[in-house]
Amino acid sequence: MRKLLLTFRSIKGVYILFCFSFLIVVLVAIFLEEEYLVYVKPLVPISLILIHVFNVKPINPYYVVCMLVLLVNDTLIYIDFAKYFDLVAITIIIFYLLCVFLLKKYINLADLQIKKFVTFPIIISLTLISYLIFSISELVLPSLMDSIFSFFMILIILLLFVAACFFIYIIDKYEGNFRLFVSASCCLFVSALLLINYFYFHTRVFTILINIAEVAGLYFFLRFLMEAKPIDFEYEKSKYF
């Protein structure tokens, strides 16, 4: 009984740590200079690792490495994004590749049905994403001509991750798959706003929004990994009869 109580307190404690980390990051983004985020932003991936450790058995080492890579990535961004852009590109590419690898077991190409993907909402979404990519590229590429290869590599890997999330969401075989939709949307939002903020028009409001969206996206991604399980279609049908 005592062991069970300690475990409950530990699990509750890591969620409190995550909420505290989220709050501290937002407060620093609102009231202090960006360089101070270097010291508090690592609390977020660390707290997410602890949530994973206390809730998932066995621990997935790829998720732990994924968060540590993100920690390095965020540190480089807030030290000097422009100066370390090529290094940031390497870390973010590794991060998204690890995320795709973590989703691999939920993806089965046998589920690929054209009629599910060629629908009006999907076409509109793809059109909006394409327009977003074109618009952001047009704004920031003049400042990234020396790192154009890194820029397009990030774009390709980011779209691979978004495609994986949307695929799992559309085939609708796992409970809680909407969390991946939220996570992918947050990643697109963060990536677009981050580039605008550092290479076109810098404002504290963008920094605040970037951090809120990033933490939310990471949390929903972890929740999916922890709680995803196949939908029992027989049970779903029985509820309506």
Side-chain angles (χ1 to χ4, degrees):
M1 184 66 182
R2 183 183 177 186
K3 185 177 179 181
L4 183 63
L5 183 60
L6 288 173
T7 302
F8 173 75
R9 286 178 177 174
S10 299
I11 293 173
K12 187 177 179 181
V14 293
Y15 278 103
I16 292 173
L17 175 62
F18 170 74
C19 293
F20 174 76
S21 304
F22 186 22
L23 178 62
I24 290 296
V25 167
V26 173
L27 290 176
V28 169
I30 293 173
F31 296 109
L32 299 178
E33 297 301 317
E34 278 184 16
E35 52 263 31
Y36 290 102
L37 286 168
V38 173
Y39 306 106
V40 298
K41 197 67 181 290
L43 291 172
V44 173
I46 290 171
S47 62
L48 289 172
I49 289 173
L50 292 175
I51 290 175
H52 174 80
V53 167
F54 280 101
N55 286 275
V56 178
K57 302 297 179 188
I59 298 167
N60 190 329
Y62 292 105
Y63 181 79
V64 175
V65 173
C66 183
M67 289 297 103
L68 293 176
V69 170
L70 182 66
L71 188 155
V72 174
N73 176 78
D74 285 345
T75 301
L76 290 172
I77 287 174
Y78 290 111
I79 290 177
D80 194 328
F81 190 23
K83 180 179 178 180
Y84 296 111
F85 182 80
D86 289 328
L87 286 176
V88 169
I90 293 170
T91 55
I92 201 66
I93 287 169
I94 295 171
F95 169 74
Y96 281 125
L97 284 175
L98 286 169
C99 287
V100 172
F101 183 80
L102 288 167
L103 295 176
K104 186 179 70 170
K105 69 178 182 179
Y106 304 104
I107 299 173
N108 185 351
L109 294 181
D111 295 320
L112 181 59
Q113 299 177 17
I114 301 300
K115 64 180 181 180
K116 280 189 174 183
F117 291 87
V118 184
T119 62
F120 184 72
I122 299 299
I123 292 172
I124 292 297
S125 298
L126 291 175
T127 302
L128 290 174
I129 291 173
S130 300
Y131 177 75
L132 175 67
I133 292 170
F134 175 78
S135 300
I136 300 301
S137 300
E138 197 173 33
L139 290 175
V140 304
L141 276 180
S143 301
L144 292 171
M145 294 308 295
D146 294 334
S147 303
I148 194 166
F149 177 76
S150 298
F151 172 80
F152 281 107
M153 284 302 299
I154 293 174
L155 178 60
I156 291 168
I157 302 304
L158 170 62
L159 291 178
L160 178 64
F161 169 70
V162 170
C165 290
F166 283 2
F167 180 88
I168 297 169
Y169 173 72
I170 292 169
I171 62 172
D172 197 25
K173 289 180 64 176
Y174 296 93
E175 294 181 5
N177 54 46
F178 75 94
R179 296 186 180 108
L180 285 185
F181 178 84
V182 174
S183 182
S185 300
C186 286
C187 285
L188 286 171
F189 177 80
V190 168
S191 299
L193 212 55
L194 193 64
L195 289 170
I196 293 173
N197 200 32
Y198 282 94
F199 296 107
Y200 185 71
F201 178 73
H202 191 276
T203 173
R204 184 184 293 271
V205 174
F206 284 176
T207 302
I208 297 167
L209 293 176
I210 287 166
N211 282 279
I212 292 173
E214 182 185 352
V215 176
L218 292 171
Y219 177 72
F220 279 107
F221 183 71
L222 175 59
R223 285 289 301 275
F224 175 81
L225 294 178
M226 290 195 308
E227 300 176 13
K229 58 182 180 180
I231 295 173
D232 187 344
F233 290 102
E234 292 300 321
Y235 173 74
E236 293 293 321
K237 288 180 182 178
S238 68
K239 290 197 298 183
Y240 297 98
F241 293 97

